[in-house]
Amino acid sequence: MNSLIKCIRDIEKSKTIAIICHTIPDADALASLVALKKIIRQNFNLSDESKQIDLFVDADEINEINSAIVNGIELNNRRSEHYDLAISVDCASLSRLGKYAEIFEEANNTINIDHHVTNERFAKNNLVFKTSSTCEALYIIAKSQDWELSDEVCKLVYSGIITDTNNLTQGTITVNTHKIITEMVSRKINVDALNQHFFQNNTKSKAYLLKQALDSLTFFAGDRIAFMKLTKQDISECEATVEDTYGIVNHGTEIKGVDISILAIKQEDNSYQVSLRSKGNVDVSNIAKAFGGGGHENMAAFNYSGLLADLKEQLIPACREELLKHPKEEKENLFDNSDEIEEQSQTKG
Ligand SMILES: [Mn+2]
């Protein structure tokens, strides 16, 4: 049986469902968590009594911007000892479910809906898409079944896509992604408000944290690698949250000539949470994987136990090796004005 059809049957027949997203959730994780519940509610035509859907996310705190997504929604209320079905969303591995991995493991049936290339296919049914976001994957599933998508679900889908692609500038962006965005824009949803909410809404704390990170900026490999660091102490001194560190690593790839940007955040146990970003075909997912992490071609992360000097000693050569596969080329002209130039030379001639 087609695995999507099998998943839909599993959802249909399950009385108790747990939906779980990854720990330290980003907007796509939270939006897909909420959207999936709404999609099931709206399209499986079931009353509250016949189906119980509980949402879980292992997070001590969710930043102000992302918490708007789950505003008023009950999270982490375990109403069943064992769930008939557990569905993970936006999660590449079982361990990334954090403390709620246990619920997943104990469920009778499991589904994994994701878009990470490093997804470990840890469920009985794995729906891993090559999409910009898990929200886009949910949209594709819903459309393939001719399900109804409410404006509320569309808002969530839109939010997941624009945040996971950094406003359509990175990640797996296809013609289909743009088509979905077009559909969302033509709906009666306030995309301007969503754009402002996600991209022009940083706290002062985050700005101070960015200042700290930029203070530490150093370059390697002929300025093709940008390296920044932060500590948990920096975060608390700036009165910032862990989520406020998101996006800081992107400032490295915004620099001309930089192909890989690295942000290492020292944790309380002296280990490092390392984020990697890259441009174009430069692939950082394999580098992260070699260090026990994972992610996407242009966006990956891993944890490192050890000293910062040792981390750099191993990580910078690994990045250099990847860069060797992509020698710096002269950028060709983005705009072709040769016709104008020819015309000018003819006039002069
Ligand atoms: Mn995602």
Side-chain angles (χ1 to χ4, degrees):
M1 199 186 337
N2 175 312
S3 62
L4 176 58
I5 302 297
K6 165 95 176 57
C7 291
I8 292 165
R9 296 255 168 87
D10 287 343
I11 294 171
E12 263 165 1
K13 69 174 192 228
S14 300
K15 291 264 184 235
T16 57
I17 300 175
I19 308 176
I20 317 167
C21 72
H22 66 75
T23 177
I24 317 175
D26 56 12
D28 183 40
L30 294 170
S32 53
L33 185 78
V34 178
L36 182 56
K37 179 171 178 175
K38 287 187 196 285
I39 290 170
I40 295 173
R41 278 264 169 271
Q42 283 155 14
N43 294 284
F44 285 72
N45 203 16
L46 298 146
S47 66
D48 265 321
E49 299 80 61
S50 72
K51 212 180 217 45
Q52 171 199 312
I53 305 172
D54 295 339
L55 304 181
F56 297 91
V57 50
D58 182 359
D60 295 333
E61 49 180 338
I62 297 169
N63 73 18
E64 222 176 287
I65 292 174
N66 289 342
S67 68
I69 298 168
V70 290
N71 183 27
I73 287 172
E74 188 173 45
L75 296 171
N76 307 331
N77 180 16
R78 188 174 180 169
R79 291 184 288 171
S80 292
E81 191 55 39
H82 293 277
Y83 285 86
D84 296 333
L85 175 66
I87 308 172
S88 68
V89 286
D90 201 41
C91 193
S93 67
L94 185 63
S95 64
R96 287 273 288 147
L97 293 173
K99 63 183 174 197
Y100 297 116
E102 183 202 327
I103 289 180
F104 197 87
E105 285 178 300
E106 287 173 359
N108 294 334
N109 236 319
T110 54
I111 300 172
N112 156 20
I113 305 174
D114 189 32
H115 71 121
H116 293 87
V117 284
T118 53
N119 190 287
E120 291 173 8
R121 270 93 177 157
F122 50 92
K124 281 183 188 156
N125 281 293
N126 301 286
L127 302 175
V128 182
F129 291 75
K130 281 186 183 144
T131 53
S132 66
S133 52
T134 300
C135 280
E136 182 179 334
L138 291 180
Y139 176 95
I140 290 168
I141 293 171
K143 279 283 157 167
S144 76
Q145 302 305 308
D146 279 324
W147 288 341
E148 201 60 50
L149 289 176
S150 67
D151 285 348
E152 277 312 306
V153 169
C154 287
K155 269 193 222 169
L156 293 163
V157 169
Y158 183 83
S159 302
I161 293 174
I162 61 166
T163 53
D164 253 24
T165 59
N166 190 29
N167 231 347
L168 298 172
T169 60
Q170 59 187 218
T172 315
I173 301 159
T174 62
V175 172
N176 207 34
T177 316
H178 286 282
K179 278 185 183 160
I180 297 167
I181 291 292
T182 304
E183 192 196 320
M184 301 296 118
V185 173
S186 61
R187 286 243 188 177
K188 278 197 197 110
I189 65 172
N190 194 343
V191 292
D192 284 342
L194 290 172
N195 287 330
Q196 232 178 70
H197 177 79
F198 287 108
F199 295 104
Q200 297 174 322
N201 208 8
N202 285 341
T203 57
K204 253 162 65 177
S205 302
K206 183 163 180 167
Y208 287 132
L209 196 62
L210 173 63
K211 191 173 149 200
Q212 283 287 104
L214 289 175
D215 253 347
S216 74
L217 181 66
T218 46
F219 296 93
F220 298 91
D223 296 348
R224 293 184 71 190
I225 302 172
F227 188 96
M228 290 178 279
K229 61 175 181 176
L230 282 172
T231 62
K232 274 273 169 148
Q233 203 184 330
D234 292 326
I235 297 171
S236 61
E237 276 172 14
C238 293
E239 292 177 15
T241 63
V242 173
E243 285 83 5
D244 285 329
T245 63
Y246 287 1
I248 286 180
V249 66
N250 293 326
H251 288 267
T253 44
E254 280 173 12
I255 302 165
K256 180 181 175 180
V258 169
D259 288 310
I260 297 178
S261 176
I262 305 165
L263 174 65
I265 304 172
K266 192 180 187 183
Q267 308 297 299
E268 267 134 16
D269 63 359
N270 290 331
S271 70
Y272 285 86
Q273 168 84 47
V274 185
S275 299
L276 303 170
R277 295 290 184 276
S278 66
K279 278 183 195 155
N281 296 327
V282 177
D283 184 355
V284 286
S285 74
N286 282 327
I287 299 171
K289 220 173 172 181
F291 284 85
H296 312 280
E297 190 179 20
N298 295 134
M299 193 189 273
F302 64 91
N303 285 305
Y304 181 84
S305 302
L307 299 171
L308 186 67
D310 295 334
L311 165 68
K312 279 182 169 173
E313 213 179 287
Q314 292 165 45
L315 180 57
I316 301 299
C319 291
R320 273 182 206 274
E321 207 171 304
E322 174 59 24
L323 290 176
L324 282 177
K325 295 181 207 160
H326 311 276
K328 253 223 131 22
E329 301 163 6
E330 276 300 309
K331 286 260 183 323
E332 48 181 297
N333 285 333
L334 275 179
F335 303 98
D336 180 10
N337 291 327
S338 54
D339 52 343
E340 281 282 320
I341 293 161
E342 203 166 305
E343 199 187 293
Q344 285 165 23
S345 71
Q346 275 169 10
T347 335
K348 274 176 202 153

